């Protein structure tokens, strides 16, 4: 029997990848290259060309969120930032209240650069802080200082950029529970609108992975990691930062609207070297190496490395393992509207197994992780695949 086509998600989000970094952090597995000697001006020009090619002749939906990630987008010069943002505004019909985010590195954010961002339409910053322990920052390959964090926040506030988020990582090599508590205390003292906090995952092709293979990477125990996460959730709650996703916390109305597109399994454009997009039920990824990304564009072609059209079964599975990351979980009504199938019948066994273990709550109009389930998210997600 042929699959029943369901309601399509709108393409209301744009992701843009800037792969350049002044230094490679020991834990990072994102697509990136050293900035020195790279054809950055040419890359920005071809990135804009990709946007033009991808959207040519289309009747575009209003874009609600733009996210410029990396790499380190703030390695771009003020002139390059202005050029990129102008192209975004020219090519895409942005909503009046568009969320326009730039990822940034503390230490890269001069008042001049921030002012250009603000005047170019950027209204949200996401900073990779990771820790407030200077020695630990050196151990994980970060080149910014703790003072850089405070200075960057002051500079952002000077130009009127107040929608700020910082990233933290816990369960780092040599990190104690007391150290993480100190970092979290300093982070919350800033009283920012949004915080992301992730447990370290040692990914292949990273410096940490190579050290682990040699037995030279000593990480906190699983119990210590769980204690850090438990403390994180409790302290965020006390501070009025509501957890809305496994690793994300925000003041009311300051959730990352862009990331909610991903977790809601909605469609989005992806531009840049190694970027991923999801359009018309097809996921695609661009070439990662700079030359392989840039060459097709120089010839007037899209730099797509691979595409995959998802089956109905795959889309439903993605709806679950992405949506269950949200504290609110997956809406049964939305699932039925999108796929023409009842969630509880489609995933009856997975719901039964995870509910019995106390990891899942399916008793309301939503299927969601319990607090205990948030500690074991990957175990839960596997049951839906």
């Amino acid at each position: 029997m042929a699959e029943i086509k369901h309601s399509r998600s709108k393409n209301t989000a744009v992701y843009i990848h800037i792969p350049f970094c002044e230094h490679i952090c020991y834990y990072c597995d994102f697509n990136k290259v050293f900035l020195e000697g790279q054809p950055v001006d040419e890359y920005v020009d071809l990135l804009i060309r990709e946007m033009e090619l991808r959207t040519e002749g289309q009747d575009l939906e209003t874009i609600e969120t733009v996210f410029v990630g990396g790499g380190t987008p703030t390695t771009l010069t003020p002139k390059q930032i202005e050029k990129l943002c102008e192209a975004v505004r020219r090519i895409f019909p942005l909503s009046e209240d568009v969320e326009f985010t730039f990822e940034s590195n503390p230490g890269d954010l001069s008042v001049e650069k921030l002012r250009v961002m603000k005047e170019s339409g950027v209204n949200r910053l996401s900073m990779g802080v990771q820790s407030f322990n200077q020695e630990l920052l050196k151990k994980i390959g970060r080149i910014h200082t703790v003072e850089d964090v405070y200075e960057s926040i002051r500079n952002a506030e000077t130009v009127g950029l107040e929608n700020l988020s910082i990233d933290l990582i816990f369960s780092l090599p040599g990190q104690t529970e007391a150290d993480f508590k100190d970092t979290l205390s300093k982070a919350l003292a800033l009283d920012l609108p949004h915080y992301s906090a992730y447990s370290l995952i040692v990914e292949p092709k990273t410096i940490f992975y190579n050290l682990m293979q040699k037995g030279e990477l000593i990480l906190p125990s699983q119990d210590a990691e769980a204690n850090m996460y438990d403390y994180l959730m409790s302290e965020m709650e006390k501070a009025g930062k509501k957890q809305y996703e496994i690793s994300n916390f925000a003041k009311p109305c300051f959730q990352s609207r862009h990331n909610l597109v991903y977790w809601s399994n909605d469609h989005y454009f992806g531009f840049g070297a190694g970027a991923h997009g999801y359009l018309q039920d097809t996921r695609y990824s661009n070439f990662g190496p700079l030359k392989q990304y840039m060459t097709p564009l120089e010839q007037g072609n899209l730099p797509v490395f691979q595409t995959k059209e998802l089956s109905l079964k795959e889309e439903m599975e993605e709806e679950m393992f992405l949506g269950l990351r949200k504290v609110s979980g997956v809406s049964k009504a939305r699932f039925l509207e999108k796929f023409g199938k009842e969630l509880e019948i489609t995933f009856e066994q997975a719901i039964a197994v995870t509910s019995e273990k106390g990891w899942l709550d399916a008793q309301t109009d939503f299927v969601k992780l319990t607090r205990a389930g948030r500690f074991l998210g990957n175990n839960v997600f596997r049951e839906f695949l």
Side-chain angles (χ1 to χ4, degrees):
M1 181 182 293
E3 293 179 341
I4 298 173
K5 287 298 179 183
H6 48 84
S7 59
R8 297 285 179 88
S9 299
K10 294 180 178 180
N11 310 324
T12 59
V14 170
Y15 174 77
I16 298 169
H17 192 75
I18 306 297
F20 308 110
C21 289
E22 292 182 356
H23 184 77
I24 305 300
C25 301
Y26 301 162
Y27 53 83
C28 180
D29 74 328
F30 294 121
N31 190 48
K32 74 278 182 187
V33 292
F34 283 112
L35 175 66
E36 188 175 349
Q38 298 295 342
V40 184
D41 281 326
E42 293 89 339
Y43 179 84
V44 171
D45 287 341
L46 290 171
L47 183 57
I48 294 168
R49 182 64 183 134
E50 184 193 359
M51 293 183 218
E52 292 169 339
L53 284 171
R54 173 67 71 179
T55 59
E56 205 166 40
Q58 288 192 37
D59 183 16
L60 297 174
E61 302 280 354
T62 301
I63 299 298
E64 302 291 342
T65 71
V66 178
F67 193 102
V68 184
T72 312
T74 45
T75 55
L76 297 182
T77 64
K79 186 176 180 181
Q80 290 163 346
I81 290 171
E82 184 177 28
K83 186 174 190 177
L84 177 61
C85 293
E86 184 279 327
V88 170
R89 295 198 313 272
R90 171 174 56 83
I91 295 167
F92 296 100
L94 305 184
S95 69
E96 289 185 8
D97 66 340
V98 65
E99 178 192 87
F100 196 155
T101 304
F102 248 73
E103 275 190 336
S104 58
N105 189 50
D108 288 341
L109 293 172
S110 65
V111 169
E112 178 195 9
K113 193 173 287 189
L114 285 161
R115 187 165 285 122
V116 167
M117 285 185 194
K118 178 80 161 43
E119 291 172 354
S120 298
V122 176
N123 53 25
R124 185 175 183 271
L125 288 178
S126 177
M127 282 199 294
V129 172
Q130 318 316 1
S131 174
F132 281 84
N133 179 323
Q134 191 61 56
E135 291 305 309
L136 203 51
L137 286 173
K138 291 179 184 176
K139 286 181 181 178
I140 64 176
R142 298 294 288 172
I143 57 173
H144 74 265
T145 66
V146 172
E147 179 50 38
D148 285 336
V149 176
Y150 293 115
E151 182 180 4
S152 294
I153 291 172
R154 287 194 298 268
N155 288 349
E157 291 172 345
T158 296
V159 304
L161 269 170
E162 297 179 347
N163 190 356
L164 305 178
S165 174
I166 62 173
D167 288 358
L168 303 173
I169 302 179
F170 60 93
S171 197
L172 292 167
Q175 186 177 43
T176 64
E177 292 179 46
D179 173 79
F180 178 65
K181 289 179 179 181
D182 181 65
T183 274
L184 189 57
S185 173
K186 289 172 178 172
L188 287 173
L190 296 169
D191 194 28
L192 298 177
H194 190 281
Y195 295 85
S196 299
Y198 306 93
S199 172
L200 176 70
I201 298 174
V202 180
E203 302 282 6
K205 300 181 182 179
T206 63
I207 294 172
F208 274 170
Y209 183 80
N210 294 335
L211 290 173
M212 187 173 71
Q213 295 296 95
K214 297 175 185 176
E216 297 175 6
L217 188 72
I218 309 301
L219 298 172
S221 68
Q222 286 187 339
D223 285 346
E225 179 182 340
N227 289 342
M228 291 181 202
Y229 186 50
D230 186 60
Y231 185 78
L232 168 71
M233 289 193 289
S234 298
E235 291 302 297
M236 286 289 178
E237 185 71 25
K238 290 179 191 174
K241 312 298 186 285
K242 187 173 178 60
Q243 185 175 17
Y244 68 99
E245 191 267 349
I246 286 177
S247 302
N248 285 269
F249 309 80
K251 291 180 179 179
C253 303
F254 283 95
Q255 295 91 341
S256 169
R257 287 161 51 198
H258 184 83
N259 284 336
L260 281 167
V261 168
Y262 301 148
W263 300 320
S264 298
N265 200 25
D266 285 334
H267 294 173
Y268 56 93
F269 293 96
F271 301 105
H276 294 249
Y278 184 27
L279 303 173
Q280 296 165 343
D281 305 328
T282 297
R283 291 198 179 274
Y284 68 90
S285 59
N286 285 344
F287 285 103
L290 276 190
K291 184 171 177 55
Q292 288 180 265
Y293 168 76
M294 294 170 72
T295 299
L297 288 164
E298 290 168 344
Q299 299 166 353
N301 300 314
L302 287 170
V304 176
F305 169 61
Q306 62 183 6
T307 62
K308 177 175 174 54
E309 186 174 347
L310 300 182
S311 67
L312 181 59
K313 178 176 182 291
E314 288 170 327
E315 285 192 85
M316 291 190 296
E317 289 174 350
E318 290 193 357
E319 187 82 7
M320 296 307 297
F321 73 71
L322 291 168
L324 284 173
R325 292 192 63 90
K326 296 183 293 184
V327 171
S328 61
V330 179
S331 164
K332 295 175 184 176
R334 186 174 189 264
F335 189 94
L336 179 61
E337 180 186 353
K338 283 186 74 173
F339 304 114
K341 295 178 181 290
E342 292 189 18
L343 193 163
E344 289 175 291
I345 294 174
T346 304
F347 292 107
E348 183 178 6
Q349 183 177 350
I351 290 172
V353 169
T354 50
S355 295
E356 185 179 348
K357 293 179 178 178
W359 298 343
L360 202 73
D361 175 9
Q363 299 303 307
T364 66
D365 292 337
F366 290 79
V367 177
K368 58 187 177 182
L369 295 178
T370 62
R371 195 178 195 280
R374 293 177 211 167
F375 289 84
L376 298 159
N378 288 336
N379 298 56
V380 180
F381 306 152
R382 276 196 290 268
E383 294 292 333
F384 288 87
L385 297 177

